Amino acid sequence: MAKEILYKYNPETDNFERYYPSVGSRIVTWMKTVGLSLLIGFVLFFLIFYCFDSPTEENLRSENRELRTQYKILNRRIENSLKVMERLQERDDNFYRVMMQMEPLSQIQRLAGLEQSSRYQEIDNMSDAALVSSLNRRMDLMERQILAQVQSYDQLRETIGKEKEKMSHIPGVLPIKGDDFTLACGFGHRKDPVFGHSKYHEGIDITSPLGTPVYATGDGKVAAAERRAGQGNFIEIDHGYNYQTRYAHLAEMTVKEGDEIKRGQLIGRVGSTGVSSGPHLHYEVCFHGEAQNPVNYFFVELGPDAYSDMLQRGENAGHLMD
């Protein structure tokens, strides 16, 4: 390769004269060329690396987006499951355990084992640690609650097995059979049809044709079968175990005070005696002397769907008839 010959313009002679650069100037020129090349290379590398994804990076980003989407879906499902568990726990503590006169489970019992955080240290060091850790904590919470609920149901089953006689005394069925009735008024604050003001309704009003049979909802003993002001023909049954049921506005009574009663036994017929705006049965359930929502006690006779429908009807029914 021929050696490069350099020329430089000399203004004094107005000619281009041969130029012999020094070693230092050659090194400086070389360094400038190398530096400019490195700068251009760095800029190109930056643009390619940060502005354009490689096929592998694009796949990873796509997988990451999919994982985040799946996380959100799974997290939402866990949230819904936890809400279901809350409802199960509430029903377990406030109904099943109350019914069997058992102490409700404490939060310490339901969440035992979740106070240890060392198990999450390895997760916290992973990429997307916050998402993974949150998801695992929620799953652990749900698993713990499910385990506690299963143990609670096991305790209830064991208690019920020991107290089968008690179950027959608890008022757990509808006082009127078949579909020939309407839940006219539910439990709680309702408007009085006679005086117009709001009053606390301590039972439910079930409308049915005059003379429809009324049945005892649990084993027990008739504590009262008499005519009462406002309530008309009235029956009260003491079921033992701190439970009582009351039936008012009957057309007739087929039992008398002191009679031993079995669940499903005929005790009277629907009427409109006392203060009443039409034929119906006013039905109450009391536990420890306090009025309970009778709809909560129809669990023995109704399946899950029918029971859920009855709860809804009880909430919406507001036509007070007493």
Side-chain angles (χ1 to χ4, degrees):
M1 181 177 180
K3 185 176 180 181
E4 182 181 7
I5 299 175
L6 302 175
Y7 290 90
K8 185 175 182 182
Y9 175 73
N10 187 345
E12 294 180 359
T13 62
D14 194 25
N15 285 317
F16 284 94
E17 299 176 353
R18 190 171 181 178
Y19 171 67
Y20 298 92
S22 65
V23 175
S25 63
R26 287 179 179 272
I27 291 174
V28 171
T29 301
W30 179 82
M31 291 180 66
K32 287 181 179 179
T33 303
V34 172
L36 181 60
S37 300
L38 289 175
L39 178 61
I40 293 173
F42 176 78
V43 171
L44 291 175
F45 173 79
F46 178 83
L47 290 174
I48 293 173
F49 186 80
Y50 289 99
C51 298
F52 302 96
D53 291 336
S54 67
T56 301
E57 289 174 331
E58 180 59 33
N59 289 336
L60 288 175
R61 291 179 189 276
S62 177
E63 290 178 2
N64 192 41
R65 287 193 296 268
E66 180 65 23
L67 286 173
R68 285 180 177 273
T69 300
Q70 293 298 324
Y71 164 79
K72 290 179 181 179
I73 294 173
L74 185 57
N75 188 57
R76 188 161 56 245
R77 293 178 64 183
I78 291 176
E79 280 288 340
N80 292 335
S81 298
L82 288 173
K83 289 179 181 178
V84 172
M85 284 304 306
E86 288 178 5
R87 290 196 292 269
L88 289 174
Q89 291 171 9
E90 182 180 359
R91 186 160 183 77
D92 181 33
D93 288 339
N94 299 325
F95 178 61
Y96 295 127
R97 286 181 167 267
V98 169
M99 181 179 69
M100 297 307 300
Q101 300 181 13
M102 298 170 62
E103 289 293 325
L105 292 181
S106 66
Q107 283 295 99
I108 294 177
Q109 290 174 302
R110 290 192 180 278
L111 302 179
L114 289 180
E115 65 277 2
Q116 298 179 358
S117 60
S118 59
R119 61 187 302 183
Y120 300 106
Q121 291 178 355
E122 181 179 349
I123 294 174
D124 291 336
N125 295 325
M126 298 170 58
S127 59
D128 291 327
L131 295 179
V132 177
S133 180
S134 174
L135 193 60
N136 274 272
R137 290 175 190 272
R138 289 176 179 277
M139 292 183 68
D140 284 348
L141 174 61
M142 186 169 65
E143 290 175 358
R144 178 60 244 181
Q145 290 182 340
I146 290 174
L147 177 60
Q149 196 58 54
V150 169
Q151 292 173 341
S152 176
Y153 286 150
D154 287 342
Q155 294 173 0
L156 284 167
R157 184 179 61 214
E158 181 180 355
T159 302
I160 291 171
K162 293 177 180 179
E163 302 187 28
K164 289 184 178 179
E165 181 184 356
K166 178 179 179 178
M167 289 301 296
S168 66
H169 285 259
I170 294 173
V173 299
L174 286 158
I176 295 178
K177 307 300 181 184
D179 299 323
D180 195 17
F181 68 88
T182 300
L183 192 56
C185 185
F187 180 83
H189 288 282
R190 296 294 188 270
K191 186 175 182 180
D192 191 302
V194 178
F195 302 104
H197 58 75
S198 176
K199 64 179 290 188
Y200 191 76
H201 196 224
E202 295 187 339
I204 58 175
D205 288 343
I206 304 173
T207 60
S208 191
L210 193 67
T212 300
V214 176
Y215 302 95
T217 56
D219 295 358
K221 185 176 183 179
V222 177
E226 59 192 14
R227 182 92 175 186
R228 288 191 179 181
Q231 294 178 313
N233 291 328
F234 172 87
I235 294 175
E236 179 176 328
I237 298 177
D238 185 355
H239 299 276
Y241 306 100
N242 301 307
Y243 282 99
Q244 300 86 35
T245 54
R246 294 164 184 164
Y247 314 75
H249 309 294
L250 299 169
E252 64 173 302
M253 300 175 287
T254 60
V255 294
K256 61 182 184 300
E257 184 177 339
D259 285 353
E260 296 289 338
I261 301 297
K262 291 293 184 182
R263 175 183 287 165
Q265 181 177 333
L266 178 68
I267 60 172
R269 297 186 181 277
V270 171
S272 187
T273 56
V275 179
S276 170
S277 59
H280 75 285
L281 170 69
H282 174 82
Y283 174 64
E284 295 181 14
V285 175
C286 293
F287 179 65
H288 281 291
E290 294 186 5
Q292 309 289 309
N293 187 348
V295 175
N296 289 338
Y297 287 81
F298 297 153
F299 64 94
V300 172
E301 191 170 25
L302 301 178
D305 292 339
Y307 180 73
S308 178
D309 178 64
M310 181 65 74
L311 285 175
Q312 188 66 34
R313 290 161 60 186
E315 289 293 327
N316 297 330
H319 182 62
L320 194 64
M321 301 192 69
D322 326 303

